[in-house]
Amino acid sequence: MSETKSTAKPKTGKPPAAKDSGAKEMAVKAKAAMKPEAKAPVKAKKPESKKVPSAAADGQIKVTQVIGCIARRGDQRATLIGLGLNKRHRSKVLENTPSVRGMVYKVRHLVKVEKVS
């Protein structure tokens, strides 16, 4: 007794492929017609902000690196490099801005900060 097994491929959920290219083109055009046309978003103009002159940024600060960055996280090392420090006992005079103060706060255990008059 011999049994014959059918070798039908399992369904994958995809529609059967079109035999001729004309049907394929029509399907693509029908999909394109169903999509709404996308308009470019209109951006509202922001009012120009007045920049504070550097003299009004509460002066300057002197940042000195007192501890090296060996065995520290990579972001702390990158912050020191961003401050212009990379070796012990090097100093930099920087503007006292919120961004610089935030960087100094992140590595406050590695640096010493003095106010420059």
Side-chain angles (χ1 to χ4, degrees):
M1 296 187 173
S2 65
E3 293 181 25
T4 58
K5 291 185 179 179
S6 64
T7 58
K9 293 183 180 177
K11 292 186 179 181
T12 59
K14 294 181 183 177
K19 297 284 183 184
D20 60 317
S21 62
K24 201 175 215 180
E25 289 177 18
M26 287 178 32
V28 170
K29 287 180 183 178
K31 269 190 178 178
M34 290 177 17
K35 290 184 182 177
E37 291 183 25
K39 294 182 181 179
V42 179
K43 292 185 179 180
K45 290 185 179 181
K46 293 182 180 178
E48 292 183 24
S49 61
K50 295 179 182 179
K51 296 196 176 192
V52 179
S54 61
D58 297 331
Q60 296 180 329
I61 56 174
K62 180 179 179 183
V63 182
T64 305
Q65 184 176 352
V66 293
I67 298 176
C69 60
I70 294 176
R72 302 292 175 183
R73 292 192 332 230
D75 60 334
Q76 292 176 359
R77 179 178 167 83
T79 303
L80 286 172
I81 291 171
L83 289 169
L85 305 170
N86 61 349
K87 292 185 182 177
R88 289 177 50 189
H89 307 295
R90 295 217 177 160
S91 298
K92 243 352 190 185
V93 177
L94 303 167
E95 294 295 322
N96 191 7
T97 60
S99 61
V100 171
R101 285 195 303 263
M103 293 170 75
V104 168
Y105 182 79
K106 187 169 187 176
V107 292
R108 64 191 179 277
H109 56 288
L110 303 175
V111 297
K112 178 176 69 172
V113 182
E114 303 166 359
K115 188 167 186 177
V116 176
S117 44

